[in-house]
Amino acid sequence: MATPSESSDSPSNQMPESRDASILIDTVDVLQNGSGTNVVRRKLTGFVGFSNLPIQWHRKSIQNGFNFNVMVVGESGLGKSTLVSTLFNMPLYPPRSEKRPSAEIPKTVAIQSISADLEERGVKLRLTVVDTPGFGDFVNNEDAWRPIVENIEQRFDAFLEAENKANRANIVDNRIHAVIYFIAPTGHSLKPLDIEVMTKLHNKVNLIPVIAKSDILTDEEIVAFKARIRADLDYHKINLFETPRYEVDSDDTMEEKTAIVSKIPFAIVGATSEVTTSDGRVVRGRKYPWGVVEVDNEDHCDFLKLRAMLVKNYMEELKEYTNEVLYENYRSAKLMAMGVSQDQSVFKEVNPVVKQEEERALHQAKLLKMEAEMRMVFQQKVAEKEQRLKQSEDELFARHREMKESLDKQRRDLEAKKAQIESGRIYMSTEEKSRKKGFSLRS
Ligand code: GDP
């Protein structure tokens, strides 16, 4: 019986051109991809249903909701909490209590995490913001990176542990999916502390550098500052998150990606309150005697581009890169350090033809080996048998010789006796004769 895909080959079964072109897949042929695997392309003759997969995925995602963990690193006062509240359009941080002048200053960088459940048009998001109060605030900021890196690694470790448990159904992903690194708007270049921290972080997290409070710099100063920062990052080989490019991306999407990347490091302005512009518009921004700096205006700052990268366009990619590259690298380095090595052959791509050929050769070799072993055993058994036969032949000869000798001896004895008897008989007959004549030879 022909399978449905085979029957679709016959011209009589092919769909007319006018039918839904989106469900026709190329022509029927066998392609060979890079790995040598054969890909058979078939024409679908009717609706199958897998084009609904994105809808299924969408439904499941809406049901499960999303989570996103972002860390903000930068000196205090650079506007970290303001930016987070601006990004997610709500006051995330609790109101800060005024510090008294005598209040004791903490001696190390603290790690604080705040979570909130957000909902936008039915889509649920559990947002966790991890703040690093105290970072860069000390006279000696050596090792300021340590608690931050430790926190990121602890989150990887917790995930690794959860993955290794028998029940992995409800693993909570607390790994950091992005770090927004706040650069002080000095207008000079990166500070040694910035370089040190970013060097320690870039292989463990998706790093997104931003120029904080960019409203205090002029447009020209921002352009020059960005160029110097980019040169510094290049020089120190610090990797930043790169927006992925897909074949299906339209020209517009590609253009948007290029526009986003060209703005890194994003010059941002944060503001949670609304102000009225001179032309009467109510906007999120910062009001100055000379005018209003609008947060959501591309001509005023790069806030919208940052939001596109972090939330609107690439949140899932940030999570995916964290899981598939950053965590994977950490995980394998950790397991290797523990002495657990990976059998690479398990992961190599398998070509069924090559695999079959390998198995056939293996089977052949096994047969030859078995044949050789059987021949050896046979020869050994024959040699043993021959040896045993030879031995019993020798024994037979020896017994035969023994018997012959004993018979010869018996014959000789008998002949001797016979001779003796015969000689005795002669003597007796002579004596009898003499007795009959009346005399005896005996004395
Ligand atoms: P954090 O300590 O880094 O979390 O900084 P905050 O968000 O608490 O902000 C410290 C101060 O800077 C506050 O008075 C904010 O209003 C102000 N601020 C925040 N963002 C900006 C900005 O983009 N531009 C300017 N000029 N001030 C800002």
Side-chain angles (χ1 to χ4, degrees), residues 70-93 96 99 109-112 114 127 129-137 148 179-185 208 210-213 268-272 286 303 306 310:
V70 59
M71 184 182 253
V72 284
V73 181
E75 292 160 38
S76 56
L78 282 185
K80 297 183 294 295
S81 47
T82 308
L83 181 76
V84 170
S85 303
T86 317
L87 269 171
F88 294 96
N89 228 352
M90 46 114 212
L92 190 75
Y93 286 65
R96 283 183 187 163
K99 275 187 201 150
V109 177
I111 305 286
Q112 275 174 7
I114 308 165
L127 172 72
V129 176
V130 181
D131 200 350
T132 54
F135 174 81
D137 294 351
I148 298 169
V179 166
I180 308 178
Y181 188 83
F182 286 69
I183 300 164
I208 303 177
V210 299
I211 299 172
K213 298 185 174 179
I268 45 126
V269 173
T272 44
R286 307 188 75 83
F303 173 80
L306 170 68
L310 196 72

Side-chain angles (χ1 to χ4, degrees), residues 404-432:
K404 195 167 167 271
E405 277 171 9
S406 127
L407 281 171
D408 280 351
K409 190 170 172 282
Q410 279 179 23
R411 193 166 52 81
R412 276 197 308 275
D413 285 354
L414 283 170
E415 274 173 1
K417 266 188 191 150
K418 189 180 153 198
Q420 210 178 3
I421 289 164
E422 277 173 359
S423 68
R425 234 190 247 153
I426 294 166
Y427 169 74
M428 276 224 346
S429 62
T430 324
E431 200 177 11
E432 257 171 39

Side-chain angles (χ1 to χ4, degrees), residues 371-384:
E371 202 180 297
E373 277 171 8
M374 277 165 75
R375 198 177 303 125
M376 219 172 74
V377 170
F378 176 76
Q379 282 169 354
Q380 205 174 333
K381 289 232 154 85
V382 168
E384 277 171 17

